[in-house]
Amino acid sequence: MRLFRLEVKRIMKSRRTLTLLAVSLFMSVIMAYLPISYESINRPGEFSLSAL
């Protein structure tokens, strides 16, 4: 386990790894938000101006 931690620490010092980690975190937030942004409630039989 100690060797694994040392390897992760060595890899995380790279600028490319930090950039990829930041981009992947940003993309995961965007991809989690997109499905709920288009969600709407449809109530059949209820009058609304958009039904005209």
Side-chain angles (χ1 to χ4, degrees):
M1 190 65 178
R2 182 172 174 256
L3 187 60
F4 177 72
R5 271 189 290 167
L6 287 173
E7 286 296 319
V8 169
K9 187 177 178 182
R10 182 181 66 85
I11 291 171
M12 291 305 287
K13 287 183 181 179
S14 169
R15 183 180 300 242
R16 182 178 293 172
T17 304
L18 293 176
T19 303
L20 288 173
L21 188 63
V23 168
S24 64
L25 183 64
F26 176 73
M27 290 298 292
S28 66
V29 169
I30 295 297
M31 291 176 73
Y33 173 74
L34 281 176
I36 62 169
S37 66
Y38 291 106
E39 188 66 30
S40 64
I41 298 174
N42 230 353
R43 295 188 179 133
E46 186 175 304
F47 178 76
S48 67
L49 293 177
S50 63
L52 296 175

